[in-house]
């Protein structure tokens, strides 16, 4: 390419990343219409929920936490009352030594109560640390399990991935949830006891103090509301950025990224998405500043009024000096506790929003888990029938599989061929019960898959999908999928031999024990064709009743391909075998071939008949030989 051409290509700026918005049925920001009062009213139920979750994890730690809160409250009340007692002699007219001596018992009580409060603080931190890690693990596991167990069709539902991303935030927030709740509760207890003491000293002080702190409370909750609004607006972009980050940085696609010169573009993408996220976040900064300034201004003015009233009461002799001094302390304590209540209350509330997202996702995922029925299937699987089966992907107008009827019998090899997008893979998903038909029935041994426990169906299947996982596990687990059939490795080697991989596996640093993850220390990497052979050995190891191979040899050398088809023929009598392939020569092995076009079966028969039928099969075969 000439340099002019290169410059030309570079003078066209790349298009910005597509604008994606958080979609689906949860696309309405739940905070949009909520008032401050409603938010405060939600706190008890949020705390109850956190307590319930913690209770399920560690009852003793929860009880310990509650006991500590009680002790904190009692200690705060004792401290203030004893301080008031100590103030009278200290502010008296006797000699200093006599005044201190008289105040000593009360001062000792203050010291004891303070030590008790510190001790209970330390114990409550210990209890909280007993709960948090396990709570985080429990929620994380619940989320992973929920996603793994949904009907596969859920992945195609609008907004499912975005809601999953939003739910991930709930898991992250469980790290701080118990700490926030515990701090909130302990500050609340301290505040209630201190303000109780204060109102005993002078009933006028408490309402004034509450008024002084109220603006800070409103400000903190309003800020939380803005933060969540921004989080909500950024969910989709963060989701896409996370995915793109993985694709850009994983070594698996490193060759493609480098050799195709994609690095600059990918960095541009990452930057553009981050800038978009930042733009939204920065746009909110003036709003949060306004909220903070206004709430501080109003709160500060009211606090000034509180101090003025206290001074007026003392100066006019309406309260004794000792009481006024204790009131100053009580106001300080209440104020400190109140701001903690406000800060931690807002944090708890903020967390609750993410928890609600997580719970909504878990509930939704739970509803999307297969609920098909109690029927079971097992070996031997003699017949699989499809009767007028139709399936349309969510959001699509045209069916991917349209009115297909087919019968598969034990011992037969079926080949499915057709152009890209004709519905071959979708058909195999319907046969395996990964998707359920919208119309028509798929039956195994006469049992409709719509009513069969899918786990029993999947126990009978060995599947080599078109795009298969390269698990970062040892070779052994890559073959057994972590479900060994025996204690020794004999059957693993048998499956490895079946795909001609013995030599390659023996050459690895630790043979079957070699970790197949290049990124991890000590890990090894296989070639594309070797990975594909391993995927085949995985399916063969299961000795399935239904063996499905979707383009199983696309990356293999002719020797490997020949070996696999030999093997398929040898083991075919004990099972039903389906091969999806574009290499039409490979369909010679099949007892029956179906040709798919636009979701329908348009031709079927054996190889020799189809070659001479003058239809799509003959045309595709001729094209594949025209080089
Ligand atoms: N997860 C999905 N969500 C929505 N549409 C899908 C999904 N998977 C496939 N489709 C659509 O369904 C149709 C059939 O796809 P399918 O993967 O079954 O074709 P195929 O015959 O296996 O193609 P290929 O030869 O390229 O593997 C296509 O139009 C495709 O766009």
């Amino acid at each position: 390419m000439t340099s002019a051409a290169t410059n030309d290509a570079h003078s066209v700026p790349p298009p910005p990343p597509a604008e994606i918005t958080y979609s689906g049925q949860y696309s309405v920001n739940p905070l949009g219409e909520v008032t401050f009062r409603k938010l405060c009213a939600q706190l008890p139920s949020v705390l109850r929920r956190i307590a319930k979750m913690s209770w399920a994890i560690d009852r003793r730690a929860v009880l310990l936490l509650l006991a500590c809160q009680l002790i904190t409250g009692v200690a705060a009340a004792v401290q203030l009352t004893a301080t008031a007692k100590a103030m009278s002699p200290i502010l008296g007219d006797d000699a200093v030594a006599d005044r201190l001596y008289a105040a000593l018992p009360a001062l000792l009580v203050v010291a004891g109560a303070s030590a008790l409060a510190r001790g209970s603080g330390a114990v409550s931190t210990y209890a909280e640390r007993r709960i948090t890690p396990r709570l985080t693990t429990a929620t994380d596991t619940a989320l992973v399990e929920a996603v793994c167990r949904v009907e596969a069709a859920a992945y195609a539902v609008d907004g499912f991935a975005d809601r999953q991303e939003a739910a991930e935030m709930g898991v992250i927030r469980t790290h701080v949830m118990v700490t926030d709740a515990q701090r909130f509760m302990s500050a609340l207890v301290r505040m209630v006891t201190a303000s109780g003491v204060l109102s005993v000293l002078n009933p006028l002080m408490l309402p004034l103090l509450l008024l002084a702190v109220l603006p800070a409370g409103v400000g903190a909750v309003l800020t939380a509301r803005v933060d969540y609004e921004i989080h909500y607006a950024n969910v989709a972009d963060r989701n896409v950025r996370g995915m793109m980050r993985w694709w850009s940085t994983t070594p698996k696609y490193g060759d493609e990224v480098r050799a195709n010169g994609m690095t600059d573009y990918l960095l541009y993408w990452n930057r553009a998405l981050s800038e978009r996220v930042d733009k939204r976040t920065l746009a909110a900064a003036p709003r949060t500043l306004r909220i903070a300034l206004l709430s501080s201004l109003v709160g500060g003015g009211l606090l000034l009024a509180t101090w003025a009233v206290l001074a007026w009461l003392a100066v006019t002799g309406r309260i004794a000096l000792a009481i006024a001094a204790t009131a100053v302390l009580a106001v300080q304590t209440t104020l400190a506790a109140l701001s903690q209540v406000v800060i931690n209350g807002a944090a708890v509330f903020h967390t609750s929003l993410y928890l609600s997202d997580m719970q909504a996702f878990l509930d939704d995922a739970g509803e999307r888990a297969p609920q098909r029925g109690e029927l079971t299937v097992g070996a031997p699987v003699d017949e699989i029938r499809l009767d007028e089966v139709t399936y349309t992907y969510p959001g699509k107008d045209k069916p991917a599989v349209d009115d297909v009827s087919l019968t598969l019998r034990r011992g037969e090899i079926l080949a499915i061929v057709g152009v890209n997008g004709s519905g071959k893979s979708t058909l195999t998903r319907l046969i395996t019960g990964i998707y359920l038909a919208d119309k028509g029935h798929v039956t195994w041994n006469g049992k409709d898959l719509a009513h069969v426990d899918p786990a029993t169906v999947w126990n009978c299947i060995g599947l080599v999908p078109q795009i298969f996982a390269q698990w970062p596990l040892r070779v052994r687990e890559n073959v057994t999928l972590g479900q060994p059939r025996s204690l020794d490795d004999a059957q693993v080697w048998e499956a490895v031999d079946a795909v001609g991989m013995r030599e390659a596996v023996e050459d690895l640093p630790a043979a079957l024990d070699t970790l197949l993850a290049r990124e991890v220390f000590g890990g090894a990497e296989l070639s594309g064709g070797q990975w594909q052979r391993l995927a085949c050995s995985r399916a063969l190891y299961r000795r399935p009743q239904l063996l499905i191979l979707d383009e199983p040899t696309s990356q293999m050398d002719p020797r490997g391909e020949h070996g696999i088809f030999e093997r398929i023929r040898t083991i075919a009598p004990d099972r039903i075998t389906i091969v999806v392939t574009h290499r039409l020569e490979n369909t010679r092995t099949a007892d029956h071939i179906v040709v798919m076009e636009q979701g329908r079966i348009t031709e079927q028969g054996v190889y020799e008949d189809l070659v001479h039928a003058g239809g799509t099969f003959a045309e595709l075969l001729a094209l594949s030989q025209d080089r």
Side-chain angles (χ1 to χ4, degrees):
M1 191 191 284
T2 65
S3 65
T6 314
N7 285 342
D8 260 8
H10 282 183
S11 65
V12 182
E19 273 281 355
I20 300 160
T21 44
Y22 185 17
S23 56
Q25 68 186 108
Y26 294 99
S27 57
V28 180
N29 179 354
L31 267 186
E33 305 297 320
V34 179
T35 62
F36 174 68
R37 262 182 63 193
K38 261 194 189 163
L39 299 186
C40 292
Q42 270 183 13
L43 273 181
S45 73
V46 175
L47 288 170
R48 257 203 313 277
R49 189 151 131 214
I50 296 174
K52 214 169 131 190
M53 287 164 83
S54 307
W55 186 255
I57 297 291
D58 191 336
R59 290 172 181 211
R60 282 171 63 183
V62 174
L63 290 175
L64 203 58
L65 262 182
L66 291 177
C68 288
Q69 310 311 324
L70 206 70
I71 291 171
T72 309
V74 172
V78 169
Q79 254 178 300
L80 278 176
T81 327
T83 306
K85 274 207 176 133
M87 282 296 174
S88 299
I90 286 176
L91 295 176
D93 299 327
D94 300 341
V96 173
D98 292 341
R99 279 190 267 161
L100 281 179
Y101 187 72
L104 192 59
L107 288 176
L108 283 177
V109 173
V110 172
S114 156
L116 198 65
R118 291 270 172 137
S120 81
V123 174
S124 61
T125 305
Y126 159 78
E128 176 260 305
R129 285 186 182 181
R130 279 187 62 87
I131 300 170
T132 296
R134 285 182 285 168
L135 195 59
T136 310
T137 304
T139 46
D140 189 41
T141 311
L143 188 64
V144 173
E145 185 172 355
V147 177
C148 287
R149 290 207 188 279
V150 290
E151 285 278 10
Y155 296 136
V157 171
D158 200 17
F160 186 81
D162 287 339
R163 268 178 287 137
Q164 186 187 334
E165 158 73 19
E168 297 284 352
M169 198 60 160
V171 174
I172 291 169
R173 291 293 288 210
T174 48
H175 281 290
V176 291
M177 180 176 85
V178 181
T179 315
D180 288 345
Q182 181 261 323
R183 285 188 184 154
F184 171 79
M185 284 303 293
S186 116
L188 190 70
V189 169
R190 269 185 287 127
M191 190 197 81
V192 169
T193 44
S195 55
V197 172
L198 192 66
S199 48
V200 169
L201 295 177
N202 191 299
L204 194 63
M205 299 302 298
L206 188 64
L208 265 176
L209 192 67
L210 283 176
L211 268 181
V213 181
L214 193 68
V218 176
V221 175
L222 288 180
T223 308
R225 190 164 150 166
V226 174
D227 284 350
Y228 186 74
E229 201 181 298
I230 302 307
H231 154 79
Y232 210 80
N234 283 333
V235 163
D237 274 341
R238 273 207 324 265
N239 196 2
V240 175
R241 187 178 56 181
M243 280 194 277
M244 286 297 280
R245 187 190 172 90
W246 186 83
W247 283 80
S248 314
T249 57
T250 183
K252 267 188 195 349
Y253 307 118
D255 297 352
E256 191 177 342
V257 167
R258 280 164 185 74
N260 285 324
M262 285 177 73
T263 308
D264 286 345
Y265 181 57
L266 290 172
L267 292 177
Y268 159 76
W269 243 82
N270 196 45
R271 215 174 23 246
L273 281 175
S274 298
E275 278 167 5
R276 214 148 72 187
V277 167
D278 289 349
K279 204 169 143 195
R280 291 194 195 102
T281 313
L282 289 179
R287 279 168 72 194
T288 47
L289 179 67
R290 267 199 304 280
I291 293 169
L293 284 179
L294 256 176
S295 58
S296 306
L297 197 71
V298 179
L302 287 168
L303 189 61
L304 214 62
T306 310
W307 291 128
V309 168
L310 190 58
W312 172 74
L313 287 173
V315 170
T316 55
R318 285 181 167 78
I319 54 171
L321 200 58
I323 300 293
T326 313
V328 169
L329 259 183
V331 168
Q332 291 286 41
T333 311
T334 313
L335 210 57
L338 256 175
S339 45
Q340 286 299 308
V341 165
V342 166
I343 291 168
N344 293 303
V348 167
F349 171 74
H350 204 161
T351 299
S352 78
L353 301 173
Y354 300 115
L355 287 186
S356 301
D357 280 344
M358 186 178 76
Q359 197 54 52
F361 178 78
L362 289 176
D363 292 346
D364 181 49
E367 278 166 26
R368 292 183 190 282
Q371 286 155 352
R372 302 187 186 175
E374 303 291 311
L375 291 180
T376 59
V377 292
V381 177
D382 294 316
E383 186 190 80
I384 298 176
R385 271 177 71 103
L386 283 80
D387 286 311
E388 298 170 359
V389 169
T390 296
Y391 182 81
T392 310
Y393 282 101
K396 290 269 175 103
D397 302 327
K398 274 173 61 183
V401 166
D402 193 3
D403 200 22
V404 167
S405 296
L406 199 62
T407 303
L408 312 164
R409 292 199 180 79
R410 188 176 170 79
E412 279 180 3
I413 301 177
L414 171 78
I416 308 178
V417 301
V419 297
N420 294 135
S422 54
K424 303 180 295 294
S425 299
T426 309
L427 184 63
T428 63
R429 289 180 196 134
L430 290 163
I431 293 171
T432 52
I434 292 172
Y435 293 161
L436 285 180
D438 299 332
K439 276 191 226 148
H441 305 277
V442 178
T443 53
W444 280 43
N445 287 348
K447 292 177 187 166
D448 190 335
L449 288 193
H451 308 298
V452 176
D453 175 359
T456 65
V457 179
W458 298 335
N459 267 341
C460 299
I461 297 174
L463 169 71
V464 182
Q466 211 171 35
I467 300 169
F468 51 87
Q470 301 178 354
W471 294 106
L473 299 169
R474 286 173 296 187
V475 178
R476 186 181 296 101
E477 279 90 36
N478 257 292
V479 174
T480 65
L481 273 183
Q483 305 163 24
R485 303 173 68 95
S486 61
L487 287 174
D488 64 23
D489 286 333
Q491 296 187 32
V492 179
W493 281 116
E494 192 183 306
V496 168
D497 278 333
V499 295
M501 275 281 285
R502 180 177 279 267
E503 211 178 314
V505 172
E506 281 174 347
D507 277 350
L508 291 171
L512 289 177
D513 284 313
T514 310
L515 189 63
L516 293 180
R518 194 171 40 182
E519 309 85 33
V520 185
F521 179 75
E525 187 55 282
L526 300 178
S527 73
Q530 286 173 331
W531 268 117
Q532 200 168 32
R533 287 180 191 228
L534 213 55
C536 288
S537 78
R538 192 143 69 209
L540 296 176
Y541 178 83
R542 288 171 67 77
R543 298 189 183 163
Q545 292 295 304
L546 170 63
L547 176 64
I548 303 189
L549 305 121
D550 195 344
E551 286 297 348
T553 55
S554 56
Q555 301 183 52
M556 286 186 206
D557 58 53
R559 198 180 292 149
E561 185 167 31
H562 182 262
I564 293 288
F565 277 95
E566 274 290 315
R567 186 73 187 178
I568 292 172
R569 258 197 303 273
T570 313
I571 62 171
D574 295 331
R575 67 203 76 238
I576 294 170
T577 307
I578 300 176
V579 181
V580 181
T581 184
H582 290 296
R583 298 197 202 183
L584 300 188
E585 283 302 325
N586 286 335
T587 59
R588 282 177 188 277
T589 321
D591 299 298
H592 193 69
I593 302 168
V594 296
V595 183
M596 293 200 66
E597 275 172 276
Q598 302 195 8
R600 289 175 167 265
I601 295 179
T602 51
E603 274 179 273
Q604 51 186 313
V606 292
Y607 183 86
E608 288 306 330
D609 293 344
L610 292 177
V611 168
H612 301 112
T616 306
F617 187 90
E619 183 205 336
L620 293 175
L621 185 63
L623 286 172
S624 71
Q625 291 165 345
D626 180 22
R627 296 287 183 272

